Amino acid sequence: MDKLTIRDFDPAGKRVLVRVDFNVPVEDGKVKDDTRIRAALPTIRYLLSHGASIVLMSHLGRPKGKVVESARLRPVAERLSSLLGRPVPVTGDALGIGTRDAVARLKPGQLLLLENLRFHGEEEANDAEYAATLASYGDVFVNDAFGTAHRAHASTVGVASHLPGYAGLLMEAEINALSKLLEAPAKPFAAVIGGAKVSGKLGVLENLLTKVDALLIGGGMANTFIVAQGHTVGKSLLERELVDDAQRILELAEKRGVQVVLPTDVVVAKEVTRGAEHKVVPVHKVPNSWSIVDIGPASTDAFTQALEPMQTVLWNGPLGVFEVPTFGDGTRAIARFLARRADDGATVIVGGGDSVAALEELGLTDRLAHVSTGGGATLEFLEGRELPGVAVLEDRPAADPAPRRRAAKSGKESQAIVAAGDRKARS
Ligand code: ADP
Ligand code: MG
């Protein structure tokens, strides 16, 4: 990675402002899934054990600039506290004298969590004054919130104009895994793309077409491609305005010699609900008033056959309406197959909230090379875009002494070089 990380400065005695993504599902005051909290533990433990104190900051949900009781971070702090085995107090607010004093009282090895950053509209607006206040809580800034790195908010971007910014260990792992995928994947490389809509993933499909040997398309997004192939899809989810784009992607794939695998048979249902009447039909025989809800068994076989020789597989988006168990056969079959490929040494990377949820349900996450904690951030990264929350972090100085960046950021650049020098001196 070309950004400096927490291993590139000496945390001892420093107060470190750490942006984490603790945007986890909370129900009845309890954290339902603590994956994102556990994912931040390596950074937190590293900093504490190296003598830093930590001011953690996160958002939770979409309170839109108001205090929303159900979006308080207390349940998150409780879970973090039990994972770390030490107290994690939450401030009453991200701002205010009480918070400032609590931060000032922190001793090395101690941490606290600021209350939900989005209780202030200034967070998402990347308000300069709000960012300056947050920055005043720390000596250095660490961004470990990969899942929020595609947003230019006060806590992800604004603070970095006041403090030198470093990548946390989760941020580093995410970027390394996803960059390897785009830059140097073991070949052959296939992408399995599903999920509801083409619209959110058009850029990803286009960028991946320049990297992959095979592109497998399922889920609701396949419908738009099925129509582009000249079939009808009844009442299925369809983005008619994107049929031309789908057509263009198919042509581009052909030109580039990328193998495209689309469903040849599908599960159709009278209603997209549990218990609805359903059957398997060839893709050119979808009845008018039925909806496609999953890939069919012949398609599942074709998908696994295409994946068998692959050394790298990226999977994003379920292949059917897997929330209804009857319509989750395709998704489950591919998930199990990919776990087996991973056991055999293939690099399997999964990104996307719903795809990851499907894997977790099956207990397969641990068998894969990398399961991304990002949703939108992962997609934007895979589109080949630089994420704003990553862009602001300190660049790793080139081995060559010639500065890689021009004068504008020279102040930060020299700090970064000093920090990197620090590390050398210590190791
Ligand atoms: P991810 O979160 O993994 O990126 P998406 O959010 O893009 O995935 O898509 C997940 C959603 O796609 C799920 O809610 C699933 O029900 C829906 N979906 C999958 N296949 C279909 C289909 N054939 N018709 C309608 N919705 C579908
Ligand atoms: Mg989703």
Side-chain angles (χ1 to χ4, degrees):
M1 195 181 54
D2 60 356
K3 294 293 179 182
L4 295 182
T5 75
I6 55 172
R7 282 187 245 96
D8 294 310
F9 71 92
D10 182 1
K14 293 210 172 61
R15 196 167 288 136
V16 185
L17 181 65
V18 184
R19 177 54 156 107
V20 286
D21 188 340
F22 285 167
N23 185 30
V24 296
V26 175
E27 262 172 49
D28 303 324
K30 286 255 152 22
V31 172
K32 293 294 278 184
D33 176 359
D34 65 0
T35 309
R36 283 181 163 181
I37 302 176
R38 282 185 285 110
L41 291 176
T43 292
I44 295 171
R45 288 198 174 117
Y46 175 94
L47 291 171
L48 292 177
S49 69
H50 285 76
S53 58
I54 303 180
V55 177
L56 289 171
M57 52 178 181
S58 178
H59 72 286
L60 176 65
R62 298 171 184 264
K64 301 231 157 98
K66 283 202 284 286
V67 174
V68 173
E69 289 304 321
S70 60
R72 286 202 179 273
L73 281 170
R74 193 194 158 106
V76 171
E78 281 170 357
R79 178 61 62 91
L80 176 62
S81 171
S82 70
L83 289 167
L84 284 173
R86 63 173 93 204
V88 181
V90 193
T91 62
D93 187 352
L95 303 179
I97 296 175
T99 299
R100 201 184 61 200
D101 290 349
V103 168
R105 280 196 303 270
L106 279 179
K107 297 205 173 56
Q110 295 184 333
L111 76 169
L112 61 71
L113 173 62
L114 300 181
E115 182 54 286
N116 195 338
L117 296 170
R118 292 193 189 168
F119 285 174
H120 298 275
E122 289 86 346
E123 161 63 1
E124 289 184 83
N126 191 10
D127 176 80
E129 208 177 311
Y130 187 65
T133 305
L134 296 177
S136 74
Y137 301 149
D139 305 314
V140 294
F141 167 56
V142 168
N143 193 351
D144 211 23
F146 177 75
T148 323
H150 59 315
R151 303 289 184 216
H153 295 166
S155 66
T156 58
V157 167
V159 291
S161 51
H162 303 276
L163 298 174
Y166 299 86
L169 299 175
L170 170 63
M171 180 71 90
E172 181 188 32
E174 290 273 10
I175 292 173
N176 281 345
L178 298 176
S179 330
K180 170 115 195 284
L181 203 60
L182 296 182
E183 286 158 20
K187 294 282 223 163
F189 171 23
V192 184
I193 309 291
K197 288 181 174 176
V198 182
S199 44
K201 297 184 183 174
L202 207 55
V204 176
L205 288 172
E206 277 173 283
N207 195 35
L208 287 175
L209 268 186
T210 65
K211 323 272 180 199
V212 298
D213 302 291
L215 180 61
L216 289 68
I217 303 174
M221 73 146 47
N223 302 345
T224 305
F225 286 86
I226 291 169
V227 169
Q229 287 179 316
H231 308 304
T232 56
V233 293
K235 280 199 304 178
S236 307
L237 179 73
L238 171 69
E239 289 166 288
R240 196 166 288 285
E241 69 288 359
L242 293 183
V243 171
D244 287 347
D245 288 287
Q247 181 70 52
R248 188 169 49 79
I249 283 177
L250 293 176
E251 282 161 15
L252 204 67
E254 184 159 358
K255 232 187 263 161
R256 293 192 155 269
V258 173
Q259 178 196 4
V260 175
V261 185
L262 278 162
T264 51
D265 66 341
V266 286
V267 178
V268 291
K270 273 201 160 158
E271 302 294 334
V272 188
T273 48
R274 190 182 286 261
E277 191 185 335
H278 61 279
K279 59 185 178 186
V280 176
V281 297
V283 79
H284 59 276
K285 283 194 175 156
V286 175
N288 275 334
S289 57
W290 294 54
S291 300
I292 298 174
V293 290
D294 197 3
I295 59 174
S299 305
T300 302
D301 285 348
F303 274 41
T304 55
Q305 257 170 45
L307 292 173
E308 184 73 57
M310 297 296 156
Q311 289 307 313
T312 305
V313 182
L314 163 71
W315 178 31
N316 172 275
L319 302 172
V321 184
F322 76 105
E323 298 92 336
V324 179
T326 338
F327 308 149
D329 287 351
T331 301
R332 286 190 293 267
I334 297 303
R336 289 200 185 96
F337 182 79
L338 290 179
R340 279 203 297 278
R341 291 291 301 123
D343 294 343
D344 291 341
T347 302
V348 178
I349 295 188
V350 181
D354 294 290
S355 333
V356 174
L359 277 171
E360 298 235 312
E361 240 175 68
L362 297 169
L364 298 175
T365 28
D366 293 344
R367 286 161 64 183
L368 309 182
H370 183 72
V371 175
S372 183
T373 54
T378 310
L379 290 176
E380 287 198 19
F381 194 97
L382 293 175
E383 273 177 49
R385 293 206 248 162
E386 184 169 44
L387 308 178
V390 177
V392 296
L393 303 178
E394 299 295 332
D395 285 319
R396 182 168 298 285
D400 173 342
R404 283 200 303 160
R405 272 206 221 161
R406 300 237 176 85
K409 279 200 117 187
S410 61
K412 288 179 99 190
E413 190 78 46
S414 58
Q415 248 171 332
I417 290 166
V418 169
D422 252 351
R423 185 174 66 134
K424 261 195 218 111
R426 280 186 292 120
S427 56

